[in-house]
Amino acid sequence: GENVEQHPSTLSVQEGDSAVIKCTYSDSASNYFPWYKQELGKGPQLIIDIRSNVGEKKDQRIAVTLNKTAKHFSLHITETQPEDSAVYFCAAQQTGANNLFFGTGTRLTVIP
Amino acid sequence: NAGVTQTPKFQVLKTGQSMTLQCAQDMNHNSMYWYRQDPGMGLRLIYYSASEGTTDKGEVPNGYNVSRLNKREFSLRLESAAPSQTSVYFCASSEALGLGSETQYFGPGTRLLVL
């Protein structure tokens, strides 16, 4: 099955700096890659996703890049704010398959 | 539009007790899922229901059963709880499994402690 690895496990940045979280996947058939943000005591919320037919997607301060050849994808958050502090999860899925495979999460702390 | 709701929010069980976790969605989604989340790990799929009337095992189904009661509701049952089932349980739903419809939306979770 699919194996998703995520790094780093913790990340601290100063407010206004950028944060980058990286994930690798093992199954070349995976073609859908969402990113979730989980705040304390809440369920994961989708913040951005990318499909394998594009290499980059951007939504305001958040961007995701995908390198299919290397089988890795990254989340980029620019101009970080304290409210960006949360645990972020990457995931990978093959279209039509039932299972969304998650990374182990990155705890991001934005220091005011 | 409440999205995905789960009850209860918290539960403490003794080993061997049974309980049912409830999940409902109001987005008219076809597919529903149950995950568990353990410290230092991502979410792992327990069971899923691709559509009303069908259920299938996920990555970690042992010790659990599910029922897709109707299109809105998908319950998870622990027949004889064990300490290893202490976890946070999340229900999720998606429009379908197909291309463009696979985005999953998660509920707020149920924290379960088995003593």
Side-chain angles (χ1 to χ4, degrees), chain B residues 40-91:
Chain B
M41 303 182 74
L43 285 79
R44 293 180 292 167
L45 184 65
I46 304 171
Y47 269 94
Y48 71 101
S49 171
S51 60
E52 187 178 356
T54 69
T55 61
D56 283 288
K57 295 178 180 179
E59 189 181 351
V60 288
N62 291 344
Y64 306 95
N65 284 301
V66 290
S67 295
R68 184 74 182 268
L69 304 170
N70 47 55
K71 191 172 185 179
R72 289 187 65 247
E73 299 172 289
F74 188 37
S75 63
L76 178 72
R77 183 161 178 83
L78 287 70
E79 290 291 350
S80 179
S84 60
Q85 294 178 304
T86 293
S87 189
V88 182
Y89 291 86
F90 289 99
C91 178

Side-chain angles (χ1 to χ4, degrees), chain A residues 32 36 38 51 89 96 98, chain B residues 37 42 48 90 97 102-104:
Chain A
Y32 173 64
Y36 285 87
Q38 186 176 25
R51 293 186 169 83
F89 290 95
N98 58 78
Chain B
Q37 183 178 36
Y48 71 101
F90 289 99
L97 292 180
E102 66 274 71
T103 300
Q104 294 187 23

